[in-house]
Amino acid sequence: MIDPFGRSISYLRVSVTDRCDFRCVYCMAEDMTFLPKSELLTLEELERLCGAFIRLGVRKLRLTGGEPLVRRNIMSLVNNLGQHLKTGALDELTLTTNGSQLAKHAEGLAAAGVRRINVSLDTLDADKFCGVTRWGKLDQVLDGVFAAKAAGLEVKINTVALQGINDDEFDRLVGWCGEHGFDLTFIEVMPMGEIGELRADQYVPLNEVRARLARNWTLTDTHYRTGGPARYWNVAETGKRLGFITPLTHNFCESCNRVRVTCTGTLYMCLGQSDSADLRRPLRASEADAQLDDAILEAIGRKPKGHDFIIDREHNDPAVARHMSVTGG
Ligand code: SAM
Ligand code: SF4
Protein backbone atom coordinates (compact mmCIF):
# COMPACT_ATOMS: atom_id res chain seq x y z
CA MET A 1 0.00 0.00 0.00
CA ILE A 2 1.58 3.26 -1.16
CA ASP A 3 0.01 6.60 -0.22
CA PRO A 4 -0.15 9.74 -2.41
CA PHE A 5 3.16 10.98 -0.95
CA GLY A 6 5.02 7.77 -1.82
CA ARG A 7 5.02 6.45 1.76
CA SER A 8 4.64 2.71 2.09
CA ILE A 9 2.00 1.80 4.70
CA SER A 10 3.20 -1.25 6.59
CA TYR A 11 2.12 -0.55 10.18
CA LEU A 12 -1.41 -0.82 11.57
CA ARG A 13 -2.42 0.25 15.05
CA VAL A 14 -5.68 -1.21 16.25
CA SER A 15 -7.63 0.25 19.13
CA VAL A 16 -9.50 -2.80 20.42
CA THR A 17 -11.60 -0.88 22.94
CA ASP A 18 -12.22 2.74 23.89
CA ARG A 19 -12.62 1.73 27.54
CA CYS A 20 -9.95 1.94 30.17
CA ASP A 21 -9.51 1.22 33.85
CA PHE A 22 -7.62 4.55 34.26
CA ARG A 23 -8.56 8.13 33.35
CA CYS A 24 -5.17 9.77 32.73
CA VAL A 25 -5.60 13.54 33.03
CA TYR A 26 -4.09 14.30 29.59
CA CYS A 27 -5.97 11.50 27.81
CA MET A 28 -9.53 11.42 29.11
CA ALA A 29 -12.02 13.58 30.93
CA GLU A 30 -13.05 12.17 34.30
CA ASP A 31 -16.65 11.61 33.16
CA MET A 32 -15.94 9.97 29.81
CA THR A 33 -18.86 8.41 27.98
CA PHE A 34 -17.83 5.18 26.32
CA LEU A 35 -19.35 3.60 23.26
CA PRO A 36 -22.23 1.18 23.71
CA LYS A 37 -20.89 -2.37 23.35
CA SER A 38 -23.17 -2.92 20.35
CA GLU A 39 -21.11 -0.41 18.33
CA LEU A 40 -17.89 -2.38 18.71
CA LEU A 41 -16.50 -4.80 16.18
CA THR A 42 -16.46 -8.32 17.58
CA LEU A 43 -13.09 -9.93 18.16
CA GLU A 44 -13.74 -12.09 15.07
CA GLU A 45 -14.39 -8.96 13.00
CA LEU A 46 -11.24 -7.30 14.33
CA GLU A 47 -9.28 -10.40 13.38
CA ARG A 48 -10.71 -10.40 9.88
CA LEU A 49 -9.97 -6.70 9.51
CA CYS A 50 -6.36 -7.19 10.63
CA GLY A 51 -6.10 -10.15 8.23
CA ALA A 52 -7.13 -7.91 5.33
CA PHE A 53 -4.48 -5.31 6.21
CA ILE A 54 -1.84 -8.03 6.52
CA ARG A 55 -2.81 -9.39 3.12
CA LEU A 56 -2.48 -5.87 1.68
CA GLY A 57 1.04 -5.39 3.06
CA VAL A 58 0.96 -4.56 6.77
CA ARG A 59 4.00 -6.15 8.48
CA LYS A 60 3.62 -4.73 11.97
CA LEU A 61 0.53 -4.67 14.12
CA ARG A 62 0.06 -2.93 17.46
CA LEU A 63 -2.95 -3.44 19.70
CA THR A 64 -3.86 -0.44 21.77
CA GLY A 65 -6.92 1.31 23.18
CA GLY A 66 -8.28 2.49 25.60
CA GLU A 67 -6.66 -0.28 27.55
CA PRO A 68 -6.31 -3.31 25.26
CA LEU A 69 -5.99 -5.79 28.13
CA VAL A 70 -9.38 -4.87 29.63
CA ARG A 71 -11.26 -6.09 26.53
CA ARG A 72 -12.92 -9.39 27.37
CA ASN A 73 -11.20 -12.42 25.76
CA ILE A 74 -8.54 -10.20 24.23
CA MET A 75 -6.01 -13.05 24.47
CA SER A 76 -8.00 -15.05 21.93
CA LEU A 77 -7.44 -12.23 19.42
CA VAL A 78 -3.76 -12.02 20.36
CA ASN A 79 -3.35 -15.77 19.91
CA ASN A 80 -5.10 -15.79 16.54
CA LEU A 81 -3.11 -12.80 15.27
CA GLY A 82 0.03 -14.54 16.49
CA GLN A 83 -0.59 -17.20 13.83
CA HIS A 84 0.39 -14.63 11.19
CA LEU A 85 3.83 -14.42 12.83
CA LYS A 86 4.22 -18.18 12.42
CA THR A 87 3.37 -18.05 8.71
CA GLY A 88 5.78 -15.15 8.19
CA ALA A 89 3.00 -12.85 6.93
CA LEU A 90 3.60 -10.52 9.88
CA ASP A 91 6.97 -9.40 11.29
CA GLU A 92 5.76 -8.08 14.61
CA LEU A 93 2.75 -8.20 16.91
CA THR A 94 2.94 -5.86 19.85
CA LEU A 95 0.85 -3.80 22.20
CA THR A 96 0.73 -0.58 24.17
CA THR A 97 -0.69 -1.03 27.64
CA ASN A 98 -1.01 0.80 30.93
CA GLY A 99 0.32 -2.36 32.58
CA SER A 100 -2.53 -2.80 35.07
CA GLN A 101 -3.48 -6.25 33.74
CA LEU A 102 -0.03 -7.29 32.60
CA ALA A 103 0.84 -9.53 35.53
CA LYS A 104 -2.06 -11.76 34.42
CA HIS A 105 -1.26 -11.75 30.71
CA ALA A 106 2.52 -11.42 30.33
CA GLU A 107 3.20 -15.13 29.83
CA GLY A 108 0.30 -15.54 27.45
CA LEU A 109 1.51 -12.63 25.36
CA ALA A 110 5.00 -14.11 25.11
CA ALA A 111 3.52 -17.50 24.18
CA ALA A 112 1.49 -15.86 21.39
CA GLY A 113 4.68 -14.51 19.82
CA VAL A 114 4.72 -10.97 21.23
CA ARG A 115 8.35 -9.96 21.76
CA ARG A 116 8.19 -6.30 22.78
CA ILE A 117 5.59 -4.22 24.57
CA ASN A 118 5.22 -0.56 25.44
CA VAL A 119 4.06 0.23 28.95
CA SER A 120 2.89 3.75 29.75
CA LEU A 121 4.25 4.99 33.05
CA ASP A 122 4.43 8.69 33.78
CA THR A 123 5.78 8.70 37.33
CA LEU A 124 7.45 6.43 39.88
CA ASP A 125 5.75 8.22 42.77
CA ALA A 126 2.68 6.31 43.98
CA ASP A 127 0.71 9.41 45.00
CA LYS A 128 1.43 11.22 41.76
CA PHE A 129 0.60 8.07 39.83
CA CYS A 130 -2.78 7.92 41.50
CA GLY A 131 -3.28 11.60 40.63
CA VAL A 132 -2.26 11.36 36.95
CA THR A 133 -4.35 8.25 36.31
CA ARG A 134 -7.11 9.59 38.63
CA TRP A 135 -7.13 6.32 40.63
CA GLY A 136 -4.48 3.87 39.33
CA LYS A 137 -2.21 1.91 41.65
CA LEU A 138 1.49 2.16 40.88
CA ASP A 139 2.35 -1.19 42.51
CA GLN A 140 -0.08 -3.04 40.30
CA VAL A 141 1.56 -1.57 37.20
CA LEU A 142 5.08 -2.26 38.45
CA ASP A 143 4.09 -5.89 39.15
CA GLY A 144 2.92 -6.04 35.54
CA VAL A 145 6.11 -4.51 34.20
CA PHE A 146 8.27 -7.00 36.08
CA ALA A 147 6.04 -9.91 35.07
CA ALA A 148 6.57 -8.88 31.46
CA LYS A 149 10.31 -8.78 31.97
CA ALA A 150 10.24 -12.20 33.66
CA ALA A 151 8.26 -13.60 30.72
CA GLY A 152 11.07 -12.49 28.40
CA LEU A 153 9.26 -9.54 26.84
CA GLU A 154 11.33 -6.52 25.93
CA VAL A 155 9.75 -3.58 27.75
CA LYS A 156 9.78 0.02 26.60
CA ILE A 157 8.42 2.60 29.00
CA ASN A 158 6.45 5.52 27.52
CA THR A 159 6.26 8.66 29.59
CA VAL A 160 4.24 11.74 28.69
CA ALA A 161 6.19 14.81 29.84
CA LEU A 162 3.84 16.83 32.07
CA GLN A 163 4.49 20.24 33.50
CA GLY A 164 4.29 20.30 37.29
CA ILE A 165 3.61 16.54 37.47
CA ASN A 166 6.67 14.58 36.41
CA ASP A 167 9.06 17.29 35.19
CA ASP A 168 11.17 16.76 38.33
CA GLU A 169 11.47 13.02 37.66
CA PHE A 170 13.02 12.74 34.24
CA ASP A 171 16.51 11.89 35.55
CA ARG A 172 15.06 9.36 37.97
CA LEU A 173 13.11 7.69 35.17
CA VAL A 174 16.22 7.44 32.96
CA GLY A 175 18.14 5.86 35.86
CA TRP A 176 15.32 3.47 36.83
CA CYS A 177 14.83 2.26 33.26
CA GLY A 178 18.59 1.78 32.91
CA GLU A 179 18.69 -0.23 36.12
CA HIS A 180 15.96 -2.61 34.95
CA GLY A 181 16.99 -2.85 31.31
CA PHE A 182 14.10 -0.91 29.75
CA ASP A 183 14.26 1.60 26.93
CA LEU A 184 12.40 4.83 27.67
CA THR A 185 10.54 7.22 25.41
CA PHE A 186 9.29 10.65 26.39
CA ILE A 187 6.20 11.94 24.58
CA GLU A 188 4.99 15.51 24.14
CA VAL A 189 1.39 15.95 25.18
CA MET A 190 -0.81 16.29 22.09
CA PRO A 191 -3.96 18.43 21.84
CA MET A 192 -6.53 15.65 21.35
CA GLY A 193 -10.04 15.73 22.80
CA GLU A 194 -11.59 17.88 25.53
CA ILE A 195 -10.09 16.88 28.87
CA GLY A 196 -11.40 19.65 31.09
CA GLU A 197 -7.90 21.05 31.67
CA LEU A 198 -5.63 23.52 29.91
CA ARG A 199 -3.18 21.82 27.56
CA ALA A 200 -0.74 24.71 27.80
CA ASP A 201 -0.50 24.00 31.55
CA GLN A 202 0.54 20.39 30.82
CA TYR A 203 2.89 20.89 27.89
CA VAL A 204 6.66 20.54 28.26
CA PRO A 205 8.70 20.91 25.03
CA LEU A 206 11.00 17.91 24.75
CA ASN A 207 13.92 19.81 23.26
CA GLU A 208 14.19 21.43 26.71
CA VAL A 209 13.96 18.05 28.43
CA ARG A 210 16.71 16.59 26.27
CA ALA A 211 18.97 19.57 26.95
CA ARG A 212 18.38 19.18 30.70
CA LEU A 213 19.06 15.43 30.64
CA ALA A 214 22.23 15.94 28.62
CA ARG A 215 23.74 17.69 31.65
CA ASN A 216 23.61 14.46 33.68
CA TRP A 217 23.74 11.72 31.06
CA THR A 218 25.96 11.14 28.04
CA LEU A 219 23.52 11.04 25.14
CA THR A 220 24.74 9.98 21.73
CA ASP A 221 22.57 10.22 18.63
CA THR A 222 21.61 6.90 17.00
CA HIS A 223 19.98 5.95 13.74
CA TYR A 224 17.90 3.31 15.53
CA ARG A 225 14.26 3.39 14.38
CA THR A 226 11.38 1.11 15.35
CA GLY A 227 9.18 2.28 12.49
CA GLY A 228 7.71 4.77 14.96
CA PRO A 229 8.09 8.53 15.22
CA ALA A 230 10.61 8.48 18.07
CA ARG A 231 14.17 9.77 17.63
CA TYR A 232 16.51 7.70 19.78
CA TRP A 233 19.66 8.50 21.73
CA ASN A 234 21.97 6.07 23.54
CA VAL A 235 22.51 6.68 27.22
CA ALA A 236 26.18 5.75 27.74
CA GLU A 237 25.79 5.31 31.53
CA THR A 238 22.92 2.78 31.27
CA GLY A 239 23.47 1.26 27.83
CA LYS A 240 19.75 1.74 27.10
CA ARG A 241 17.99 3.87 24.53
CA LEU A 242 16.17 7.10 25.20
CA GLY A 243 13.53 8.19 22.68
CA PHE A 244 11.72 11.46 22.17
CA ILE A 245 8.39 11.75 20.36
CA THR A 246 8.02 15.39 19.47
CA PRO A 247 4.93 15.99 17.37
CA LEU A 248 4.95 19.66 18.37
CA THR A 249 8.59 20.69 18.29
CA HIS A 250 9.55 18.44 15.37
CA ASN A 251 7.05 17.22 12.86
CA PHE A 252 7.87 13.65 11.79
CA CYS A 253 5.15 13.07 9.21
CA GLU A 254 7.45 12.73 6.20
CA SER A 255 8.37 9.18 7.22
CA CYS A 256 4.92 8.11 8.46
CA ASN A 257 4.25 4.44 7.64
CA ARG A 258 1.11 3.89 9.71
CA VAL A 259 -2.65 4.07 9.86
CA ARG A 260 -5.02 3.51 12.78
CA VAL A 261 -8.29 1.70 13.10
CA THR A 262 -10.72 2.12 15.98
CA CYS A 263 -12.75 -0.54 17.76
CA THR A 264 -15.76 0.43 15.63
CA GLY A 265 -13.85 -0.12 12.40
CA THR A 266 -13.18 3.53 11.56
CA LEU A 267 -9.86 3.97 9.81
CA TYR A 268 -7.92 7.17 10.54
CA MET A 269 -5.18 7.85 8.04
CA CYS A 270 -3.51 10.44 10.33
CA LEU A 271 -3.50 10.75 14.13
CA GLY A 272 -3.79 14.54 13.89
CA GLN A 273 -6.52 14.85 11.24
CA SER A 274 -10.22 14.04 11.23
CA ASP A 275 -10.60 12.42 7.81
CA SER A 276 -11.58 8.76 8.18
CA ALA A 277 -13.07 5.78 6.37
CA ASP A 278 -15.76 3.44 7.65
CA LEU A 279 -14.55 -0.15 7.30
CA ARG A 280 -17.35 -1.69 9.37
CA ARG A 281 -19.88 -1.35 6.56
CA PRO A 282 -17.81 -3.18 3.91
CA LEU A 283 -16.70 -5.68 6.56
CA ARG A 284 -20.33 -6.55 7.35
CA ALA A 285 -21.64 -6.17 3.80
CA SER A 286 -20.13 -9.39 2.54
CA GLU A 287 -18.26 -12.43 3.76
CA ALA A 288 -15.82 -12.02 0.89
CA ASP A 289 -13.12 -9.39 1.38
CA ALA A 290 -13.26 -7.58 -1.98
CA GLN A 291 -15.32 -4.60 -0.73
CA LEU A 292 -13.21 -4.34 2.40
CA ASP A 293 -9.96 -4.35 0.41
CA ASP A 294 -11.33 -1.68 -1.93
CA ALA A 295 -12.36 0.53 1.00
CA ILE A 296 -8.92 0.19 2.62
CA LEU A 297 -7.07 1.01 -0.59
CA GLU A 298 -9.34 3.97 -1.35
CA ALA A 299 -8.65 5.36 2.15
CA ILE A 300 -4.88 4.94 1.85
CA GLY A 301 -5.19 7.00 -1.33
CA ARG A 302 -6.47 9.84 0.88
CA LYS A 303 -3.75 9.74 3.54
CA PRO A 304 -2.90 13.38 4.28
CA LYS A 305 0.58 14.82 4.26
CA GLY A 306 0.69 15.46 8.02
CA HIS A 307 -0.80 16.91 11.18
CA ASP A 308 -1.01 20.52 12.39
CA PHE A 309 -0.66 20.27 16.16
CA ILE A 310 -0.08 23.55 18.01
CA ILE A 311 -0.24 24.19 21.76
CA ASP A 312 0.08 27.67 23.16
CA ARG A 313 -2.01 30.09 25.19
CA GLU A 314 -3.99 31.16 22.10
CA HIS A 315 -4.68 27.58 20.98
CA ASN A 316 -6.36 25.66 23.78
CA ASP A 317 -8.93 23.97 21.54
CA PRO A 318 -8.11 20.39 20.59
CA ALA A 319 -6.57 20.02 17.10
CA VAL A 320 -8.91 17.07 16.71
CA ALA A 321 -12.05 16.47 18.76
CA ARG A 322 -11.50 12.77 19.43
CA HIS A 323 -9.54 11.62 22.46
CA MET A 324 -6.30 9.67 22.15
CA SER A 325 -8.13 6.66 23.59
CA VAL A 326 -10.21 6.42 20.38
CA THR A 327 -7.21 5.69 18.18
CA GLY A 328 -4.74 4.61 20.85
CA GLY A 329 -1.95 7.04 20.03
N1 SAM B 1 -4.03 2.50 27.68
C1 SAM B 1 -2.83 2.19 27.00
C2 SAM B 1 -1.68 2.99 27.56
O1 SAM B 1 -1.90 3.93 28.32
O2 SAM B 1 -0.55 2.65 27.21
C3 SAM B 1 -2.90 2.37 25.49
C4 SAM B 1 -3.64 3.54 24.96
S1 SAM B 1 -2.97 5.13 25.36
C5 SAM B 1 -4.12 6.20 24.56
C6 SAM B 1 -1.51 5.17 24.32
C7 SAM B 1 -0.47 6.19 24.67
O3 SAM B 1 -0.99 7.48 24.38
C8 SAM B 1 -0.05 6.22 26.13
O4 SAM B 1 1.37 6.13 26.20
C9 SAM B 1 -0.51 7.56 26.61
O5 SAM B 1 0.35 8.06 27.59
C10 SAM B 1 -0.51 8.38 25.34
N2 SAM B 1 -1.39 9.53 25.35
C11 SAM B 1 -2.70 9.60 25.68
N3 SAM B 1 -3.19 10.85 25.49
C12 SAM B 1 -2.16 11.60 25.03
C13 SAM B 1 -2.02 12.98 24.65
N4 SAM B 1 -3.04 13.81 24.69
N5 SAM B 1 -0.79 13.37 24.22
C14 SAM B 1 0.25 12.52 24.17
N6 SAM B 1 0.18 11.22 24.51
C15 SAM B 1 -1.01 10.76 24.94
FE1 SF4 C 1 -6.24 4.80 29.73
FE2 SF4 C 1 -3.98 4.77 28.39
FE3 SF4 C 1 -5.62 6.88 28.21
FE4 SF4 C 1 -4.35 6.45 30.47
S1 SF4 C 1 -3.41 6.91 28.49
S2 SF4 C 1 -6.53 6.91 30.26
S3 SF4 C 1 -4.24 4.28 30.56
S4 SF4 C 1 -6.04 4.87 27.51
Side-chain angles (χ1 to χ4, degrees):
M1 291 184 284
I2 307 287
D3 83 354
F5 302 94
R7 297 169 297 193
S8 167
I9 307 306
S10 56
Y11 180 9
L12 176 68
R13 300 174 66 112
V14 186
S15 176
V16 297
T17 175
D18 63 328
R19 289 167 194 253
C20 186
D21 49 347
F22 294 168
R23 295 285 183 282
C24 300
V25 291
Y26 50 81
C27 178
M28 294 191 181
E30 189 160 10
D31 57 344
M32 288 289 284
T33 320
F34 295 109
L35 292 164
K37 292 215 167 94
S38 57
E39 292 270 306
L40 301 199
L41 296 187
T42 63
L43 291 176
E44 292 72 22
E45 286 171 329
L46 280 169
E47 186 185 336
R48 191 175 144 215
L49 188 58
C50 291
F53 274 97
I54 293 168
R55 200 162 16 79
L56 292 171
V58 158
R59 306 287 314 173
K60 173 172 171 177
L61 221 148
R62 177 178 300 275
L63 304 184
T64 173
E67 174 47 40
L69 296 179
V70 302
R71 172 113 194 214
R72 187 131 52 100
N73 289 334
I74 186 65
M75 290 308 291
S76 69
L77 178 66
V78 174
N79 282 319
N80 292 347
L81 292 174
Q83 296 303 318
H84 293 284
L85 296 167
K86 292 196 184 128
T87 65
L90 193 63
D91 295 331
E92 185 169 21
L93 174 62
T94 181
L95 82 166
T96 299
T97 171
N98 66 22
S100 68
Q101 311 300 312
L102 206 44
K104 235 184 318 190
H105 294 305
E107 289 198 355
L109 290 169
V114 173
R115 294 285 162 261
R116 304 189 296 153
I117 52 165
N118 291 356
V119 182
S120 304
L121 180 61
D122 299 323
T123 169
L124 291 168
D125 177 298
D127 290 337
K128 280 193 200 171
F129 186 84
C130 186
V132 177
T133 57
R134 290 202 178 94
W135 52 67
K137 293 202 173 38
L138 177 66
D139 279 351
Q140 190 181 339
V141 169
L142 295 183
D143 285 350
V145 168
F146 292 120
K149 183 179 171 180
L153 298 173
E154 214 179 292
V155 175
K156 180 163 77 72
I157 301 293
N158 280 345
T159 301
V160 178
L162 297 163
Q163 187 86 43
I165 297 182
N166 61 8
D167 52 347
D168 57 344
E169 276 192 84
F170 298 151
D171 283 298
R172 183 175 175 208
L173 280 158
V174 173
W176 183 83
C177 285
E179 192 183 318
H180 296 292
F182 308 145
D183 287 339
L184 168 65
T185 297
F186 287 112
I187 306 175
E188 274 173 358
V189 75
M190 294 172 231
M192 300 188 62
E194 277 302 342
I195 51 165
E197 305 203 18
L198 283 180
R199 292 280 178 197
D201 289 346
Q202 299 182 331
Y203 174 55
V204 186
L206 287 186
N207 46 6
E208 282 175 21
V209 175
R210 192 174 57 223
R212 255 196 278 161
L213 288 172
R215 287 188 222 133
N216 297 327
W217 305 92
T218 315
L219 305 182
T220 48
D221 204 351
T222 77
H223 294 291
Y224 175 77
R225 299 300 292 238
T226 57
R231 292 250 345 248
Y232 286 93
W233 303 71
N234 282 326
V235 185
E237 289 81 357
T238 66
K240 299 310 295 178
R241 276 186 284 260
L242 179 60
F244 294 90
I245 299 186
T246 55
L248 289 112
T249 51
H250 169 78
N251 186 312
F252 42 66
C253 305
E254 67 281 356
S255 58
C256 184
N257 62 352
R258 69 203 48 208
V259 289
R260 297 168 165 85
V261 70
T262 70
C263 55
T264 57
T266 304
L267 180 69
Y268 285 97
M269 288 73 83
C270 173
L271 179 63
Q273 303 282 357
S274 302
D275 191 24
S276 65
D278 172 27
L279 300 182
R280 187 172 56 182
R281 197 192 42 77
L283 186 70
R284 290 184 175 168
S286 146
E287 281 182 14
D289 283 338
Q291 289 187 43
L292 179 59
D293 289 6
D294 286 350
I296 293 172
L297 294 172
E298 186 276 329
I300 299 295
R302 285 191 277 130
K303 184 167 161 67
K305 193 161 180 206
H307 64 68
D308 316 296
F309 290 143
I310 312 177
I311 295 182
D312 60 27
R313 299 274 157 200
E314 282 79 53
H315 298 84
N316 189 54
D317 290 342
V320 286
R322 64 181 192 276
H323 290 88
M324 190 70 103
S325 49
V326 173
T327 43

mmCIF file of all heavy atoms in Angstrom, residues 19-24 26-28 65-67 97-98 120 133 324-325, ligand 2:
data_model
loop_
_atom_site.group_PDB
_atom_site.id
_atom_site.type_symbol
_atom_site.label_atom_id
_atom_site.label_comp_id
_atom_site.label_asym_id
_atom_site.label_seq_id
_atom_site.Cartn_x
_atom_site.Cartn_y
_atom_site.Cartn_z
ATOM 1 N N ARG A 19 -12.513 1.706 26.080
ATOM 2 C CA ARG A 19 -12.618 1.727 27.542
ATOM 3 C C ARG A 19 -11.263 1.591 28.205
ATOM 4 O O ARG A 19 -10.329 1.045 27.611
ATOM 5 C CB ARG A 19 -13.505 0.572 28.037
ATOM 6 C CG ARG A 19 -14.927 0.832 27.686
ATOM 7 C CD ARG A 19 -15.796 -0.380 27.867
ATOM 8 N NE ARG A 19 -17.042 -0.099 27.181
ATOM 9 C CZ ARG A 19 -18.201 0.176 27.777
ATOM 10 N NH1 ARG A 19 -18.291 0.123 29.079
ATOM 11 N NH2 ARG A 19 -19.259 0.471 27.068
ATOM 12 N N CYS A 20 -11.205 2.026 29.444
ATOM 13 C CA CYS A 20 -9.947 1.940 30.170
ATOM 14 C C CYS A 20 -10.242 1.890 31.645
ATOM 15 O O CYS A 20 -11.257 2.427 32.108
ATOM 16 C CB CYS A 20 -9.082 3.157 29.849
ATOM 17 S SG CYS A 20 -7.436 3.018 30.571
ATOM 18 N N ASP A 21 -9.348 1.256 32.396
ATOM 19 C CA ASP A 21 -9.515 1.223 33.853
ATOM 20 C C ASP A 21 -8.864 2.438 34.513
ATOM 21 O O ASP A 21 -8.986 2.615 35.709
ATOM 22 C CB ASP A 21 -8.976 -0.096 34.439
ATOM 23 C CG ASP A 21 -7.586 -0.440 33.951
ATOM 24 O OD1 ASP A 21 -7.101 0.188 32.980
ATOM 25 O OD2 ASP A 21 -6.957 -1.336 34.540
ATOM 26 N N PHE A 22 -8.162 3.286 33.747
ATOM 27 C CA PHE A 22 -7.623 4.545 34.263
ATOM 28 C C PHE A 22 -8.309 5.712 33.537
ATOM 29 O O PHE A 22 -9.000 5.494 32.536
ATOM 30 C CB PHE A 22 -6.108 4.639 34.023
ATOM 31 C CG PHE A 22 -5.263 3.636 34.776
ATOM 32 C CD1 PHE A 22 -3.922 3.466 34.445
ATOM 33 C CD2 PHE A 22 -5.783 2.876 35.817
ATOM 34 C CE1 PHE A 22 -3.126 2.544 35.122
ATOM 35 C CE2 PHE A 22 -4.993 1.958 36.507
ATOM 36 C CZ PHE A 22 -3.662 1.790 36.154
ATOM 37 N N ARG A 23 -8.055 6.910 34.013
ATOM 38 C CA ARG A 23 -8.563 8.130 33.354
ATOM 39 C C ARG A 23 -7.433 9.154 33.348
ATOM 40 O O ARG A 23 -7.556 10.204 33.996
ATOM 41 C CB ARG A 23 -9.749 8.736 34.110
ATOM 42 C CG ARG A 23 -10.994 7.921 34.175
ATOM 43 C CD ARG A 23 -11.769 7.915 32.859
ATOM 44 N NE ARG A 23 -12.988 7.153 33.035
ATOM 45 C CZ ARG A 23 -13.048 5.822 33.039
ATOM 46 N NH1 ARG A 23 -11.949 5.113 32.840
ATOM 47 N NH2 ARG A 23 -14.196 5.213 33.219
ATOM 48 N N CYS A 24 -6.318 8.859 32.676
ATOM 49 C CA CYS A 24 -5.173 9.774 32.734
ATOM 50 C C CYS A 24 -5.605 11.197 32.372
ATOM 51 O O CYS A 24 -6.361 11.399 31.416
ATOM 52 C CB CYS A 24 -4.075 9.290 31.805
ATOM 53 S SG CYS A 24 -3.519 7.655 32.279
ATOM 54 N N TYR A 26 -4.366 13.711 30.907
ATOM 55 C CA TYR A 26 -4.089 14.300 29.590
ATOM 56 C C TYR A 26 -4.814 13.536 28.484
ATOM 57 O O TYR A 26 -4.830 13.960 27.339
ATOM 58 C CB TYR A 26 -2.575 14.297 29.304
ATOM 59 C CG TYR A 26 -1.940 12.943 29.543
ATOM 60 C CD1 TYR A 26 -2.017 11.942 28.595
ATOM 61 C CD2 TYR A 26 -1.302 12.660 30.752
ATOM 62 C CE1 TYR A 26 -1.486 10.691 28.829
ATOM 63 C CE2 TYR A 26 -0.760 11.416 31.000
ATOM 64 C CZ TYR A 26 -0.862 10.446 30.035
ATOM 65 O OH TYR A 26 -0.338 9.203 30.267
ATOM 66 N N CYS A 27 -5.375 12.376 28.825
ATOM 67 C CA CYS A 27 -5.969 11.498 27.806
ATOM 68 C C CYS A 27 -7.482 11.560 27.829
ATOM 69 O O CYS A 27 -8.115 11.636 26.781
ATOM 70 C CB CYS A 27 -5.497 10.063 28.052
ATOM 71 S SG CYS A 27 -6.190 8.855 26.907
ATOM 72 N N MET A 28 -8.071 11.519 29.009
ATOM 73 C CA MET A 28 -9.529 11.417 29.108
ATOM 74 C C MET A 28 -10.071 12.441 30.100
ATOM 75 O O MET A 28 -9.374 12.817 31.043
ATOM 76 C CB MET A 28 -9.926 10.039 29.641
ATOM 77 C CG MET A 28 -9.597 8.904 28.711
ATOM 78 S SD MET A 28 -10.404 7.419 29.318
ATOM 79 C CE MET A 28 -9.850 6.238 28.096
ATOM 80 N N GLY A 65 -5.560 0.999 22.759
ATOM 81 C CA GLY A 65 -6.919 1.312 23.177
ATOM 82 C C GLY A 65 -7.025 2.805 23.454
ATOM 83 O O GLY A 65 -6.245 3.573 22.909
ATOM 84 N N GLY A 66 -7.839 3.088 24.352
ATOM 85 C CA GLY A 66 -8.278 2.494 25.600
ATOM 86 C C GLY A 66 -7.210 1.518 26.123
ATOM 87 O O GLY A 66 -6.083 1.548 25.699
ATOM 88 N N GLU A 67 -7.616 0.703 27.038
ATOM 89 C CA GLU A 67 -6.656 -0.278 27.548
ATOM 90 C C GLU A 67 -6.933 -1.626 26.892
ATOM 91 O O GLU A 67 -7.964 -2.256 27.180
ATOM 92 C CB GLU A 67 -6.756 -0.342 29.081
ATOM 93 C CG GLU A 67 -5.911 -1.433 29.709
ATOM 94 C CD GLU A 67 -4.490 -1.483 29.180
ATOM 95 O OE1 GLU A 67 -3.868 -0.435 28.964
ATOM 96 O OE2 GLU A 67 -3.987 -2.603 28.954
ATOM 97 N N THR A 97 0.196 -0.753 26.519
ATOM 98 C CA THR A 97 -0.691 -1.027 27.643
ATOM 99 C C THR A 97 -0.344 -0.133 28.822
ATOM 100 O O THR A 97 0.797 0.338 28.935
ATOM 101 C CB THR A 97 -0.578 -2.513 28.053
ATOM 102 O OG1 THR A 97 -1.290 -2.721 29.273
ATOM 103 C CG2 THR A 97 0.853 -2.963 28.247
ATOM 104 N N ASN A 98 -1.318 0.062 29.702
ATOM 105 C CA ASN A 98 -1.007 0.803 30.927
ATOM 106 C C ASN A 98 -0.442 -0.134 31.998
ATOM 107 O O ASN A 98 -0.092 0.312 33.082
ATOM 108 C CB ASN A 98 -2.244 1.560 31.445
ATOM 109 C CG ASN A 98 -3.367 0.629 31.907
ATOM 110 O OD1 ASN A 98 -3.147 -0.532 32.226
ATOM 111 N ND2 ASN A 98 -4.576 1.162 31.940
ATOM 112 N N SER A 120 2.943 2.315 29.453
ATOM 113 C CA SER A 120 2.886 3.747 29.754
ATOM 114 C C SER A 120 3.022 3.947 31.249
ATOM 115 O O SER A 120 2.276 3.355 32.027
ATOM 116 C CB SER A 120 1.559 4.322 29.267
ATOM 117 O OG SER A 120 1.430 4.027 27.898
ATOM 118 N N THR A 133 -3.426 9.233 36.898
ATOM 119 C CA THR A 133 -4.345 8.254 36.305
ATOM 120 C C THR A 133 -5.757 8.399 36.891
ATOM 121 O O THR A 133 -6.668 7.707 36.502
ATOM 122 C CB THR A 133 -3.851 6.825 36.593
ATOM 123 O OG1 THR A 133 -3.726 6.675 38.005
ATOM 124 C CG2 THR A 133 -2.513 6.550 35.945
ATOM 125 N N MET A 324 -7.349 10.617 22.549
ATOM 126 C CA MET A 324 -6.302 9.671 22.152
ATOM 127 C C MET A 324 -6.783 8.232 22.346
ATOM 128 O O MET A 324 -6.372 7.320 21.629
ATOM 129 C CB MET A 324 -5.061 9.919 23.011
ATOM 130 C CG MET A 324 -3.853 9.188 22.561
ATOM 131 S SD MET A 324 -3.219 9.849 21.035
ATOM 132 C CE MET A 324 -1.828 10.771 21.627
ATOM 133 N N SER A 325 -7.677 8.014 23.306
ATOM 134 C CA SER A 325 -8.127 6.655 23.593
ATOM 135 C C SER A 325 -8.991 6.077 22.469
ATOM 136 O O SER A 325 -9.245 4.882 22.429
ATOM 137 C CB SER A 325 -8.923 6.635 24.891
ATOM 138 O OG SER A 325 -9.903 7.645 24.884
HETATM 139 FE FE1 SF4 B 2 -6.241 4.801 29.731
HETATM 140 FE FE2 SF4 B 2 -3.976 4.770 28.389
HETATM 141 FE FE3 SF4 B 2 -5.615 6.879 28.209
HETATM 142 FE FE4 SF4 B 2 -4.346 6.446 30.467
HETATM 143 S S1 SF4 B 2 -3.405 6.913 28.492
HETATM 144 S S2 SF4 B 2 -6.533 6.910 30.256
HETATM 145 S S3 SF4 B 2 -4.236 4.280 30.558
HETATM 146 S S4 SF4 B 2 -6.038 4.868 27.510
#
